[in-house]
Amino acid sequence: MCPKCLSKNTKKIGKRNEIQRYQCNNCGKKFQSKRRPEKLENSLFKEYVYHRQTLQDLATKYNKSIQWVHYKIKEYLPIAKVHNPRAVNLICDATFYGKRKDKLGTLVFMDSITHEILIWKHIQTERVDDYKYLLVELLNLGYTILSVTIYGKRGVNSVFKDYPVQMCHFHQKRIIQRYITLHPKLEASQELKKIMTRLKYSDENRFTKALDIWYIKYKSFLDEITIHPDSQKSSYTHKKLVAAYRSIRNNLPYLFTYKNYKKLNLSNTTNLIEGGVFSPLKILIKIHRGLSKSLKLKIVDDYLVSYKKKE
């Protein structure tokens, strides 16, 4: 169809760069198919990213230069996200690509019911405002939030104060492990680790009781103070153990939401995103080393918008 007069009375007039050109018999307008370049760019991009073809492989296949292939891949535009507003259980997590100095990452909101990626935002650093922004965007699109599972970023629980919030068990255990190590030597640390291993199998009352008993038993040990001779300043002797205990105590109101709201069937971890989405995504990006920032983000956008739920 002629883009000028909308006539279907057209004829082929040869090709330019392997793209068919046409001429309108009514008004004489010359034009080319818009769908063909888009289809070609899509094919090149998919083969490059998902089928692990190199630029040289694609240049040979299409009988073009490497520069031409690279240009077409950069021209590719991922399809827009199509939303289906409904009630959702959110899982929120963020990841970063490459080295810390690159400051390149993405914050993702997923629906744990359908495993659909609902919305995302590219970030340089993870901020509470980023969570607020995506939440407002979802609400404006017409979604209803039933619950939220987060991994423990400080201040994020306040963003979702109007909803049931679940703290990711995996991340809580990792926080404790970071403080007391995987193989703690102190008796108090060993017993705290045992309490954490029962997190999944406890309810809020039993877990809280076990934690209270542990704290009473080791309170004097936790309160020990060390005076530093150089600065004469004081600090907890076992400050990492104290920090581990405070982390559990602060997150305690959010550790058993999934059991307190059983009817919502919410997830108690962010593993659906961490392992199911981020891990394959990072592999895709690592395969093609030296990608520009814009191309990395284009790969992320295409991957997330076309992410298929697990059946």
Side-chain angles (χ1 to χ4, degrees), residues 195 207-218 249:
I195 293 174
F207 186 84
T208 302
K209 184 177 180 180
L211 189 64
D212 289 341
I213 292 173
W214 177 90
Y215 179 72
I216 292 172
K217 180 178 180 181
Y218 293 104
R249 182 62 71 180

Side-chain angles (χ1 to χ4, degrees), residues 3 5 32 48 63 109 135 140 147 152 167 183 191 241 270 294:
C5 67
Q32 65 186 32
Y48 178 69
N63 194 26
F109 283 15
L135 174 61
N140 289 339
S147 68
M167 166 69 180
H183 303 288
E191 290 199 20
L241 180 57
T270 61
S294 61

Side-chain angles (χ1 to χ4, degrees), residues 213-249:
I213 292 173
W214 177 90
Y215 179 72
I216 292 172
K217 180 178 180 181
Y218 293 104
K219 185 178 184 306
S220 59
F221 183 75
L222 296 172
D223 290 340
E224 289 182 7
I225 298 295
T226 295
I227 306 296
H228 302 280
D230 295 334
S231 62
Q232 293 301 307
K233 293 182 178 179
S234 62
S235 65
Y236 286 109
T237 303
H238 312 289
K239 57 183 179 181
K240 289 188 177 181
L241 180 57
V242 173
Y245 168 73
R246 286 179 174 174
S247 174
I248 301 172
R249 182 62 71 180

Side-chain angles (χ1 to χ4, degrees), residues 38-208:
E38 293 175 357
K39 185 177 179 180
L40 180 60
E41 290 166 5
N42 179 71
S43 297
L44 287 167
F45 186 86
K46 301 297 185 185
E47 290 181 62
Y48 178 69
V49 175
Y50 300 108
H51 299 291
R52 306 184 181 186
Q53 298 294 298
T54 65
L55 295 176
Q56 181 62 64
D57 292 335
L58 294 173
T60 301
K61 178 179 178 180
Y62 288 91
N63 194 26
K64 297 291 182 180
S65 67
I66 291 178
Q67 291 78 8
W68 181 88
V69 173
H70 192 220
Y71 173 77
K72 288 296 180 181
I73 290 174
K74 289 197 299 181
E75 287 293 294
Y76 171 75
L77 295 176
I79 61 174
K81 172 68 180 177
V82 177
H83 290 278
N84 175 29
R86 61 192 184 276
V88 295
N89 285 331
L90 288 184
I91 301 180
C92 309
D93 205 350
T95 192
F96 288 84
Y97 320 105
K99 299 178 181 179
R100 186 181 296 272
K101 66 179 181 180
D102 295 335
K103 293 185 178 181
L104 185 62
T106 306
L107 174 62
V108 173
F109 283 15
M110 170 190 266
D111 175 22
S112 68
I113 301 173
T114 62
H115 298 185
E116 178 189 354
I117 305 298
L118 300 176
I119 197 169
W120 61 92
K121 183 178 188 291
H122 299 307
I123 55 177
Q124 292 186 336
T125 58
E126 191 177 355
R127 304 177 304 161
V128 174
D129 285 345
D130 296 322
Y131 286 85
K132 290 180 181 178
Y133 172 82
L134 290 186
L135 174 61
V136 171
E137 287 292 303
L138 276 186
L139 295 175
N140 289 339
L141 287 167
Y143 288 91
T144 300
I145 313 301
L146 298 177
S147 68
V148 185
T149 301
I150 58 177
Y151 78 94
K153 167 73 175 175
R154 184 175 296 178
V156 170
N157 53 349
S158 64
V159 175
F160 303 105
K161 63 182 185 302
D162 297 327
Y163 312 101
V165 174
Q166 171 65 43
M167 166 69 180
C168 174
H169 281 192
F170 174 77
H171 281 89
Q172 181 63 78
K173 290 179 178 180
R174 287 290 298 272
I175 291 171
I176 302 309
Q177 179 181 314
R178 188 168 68 245
Y179 283 130
I180 65 176
T181 74
L182 185 60
H183 303 288
K185 297 180 179 180
L186 296 175
E187 179 184 308
S189 299
Q190 292 170 356
E191 290 199 20
L192 186 62
K193 181 183 176 183
K194 289 180 180 178
I195 293 174
M196 288 303 300
T197 60
R198 297 194 292 269
L199 177 61
K200 180 180 178 181
Y201 309 100
S202 299
D203 57 32
E204 188 169 1
N205 290 333
R206 283 187 296 170
F207 186 84
T208 302

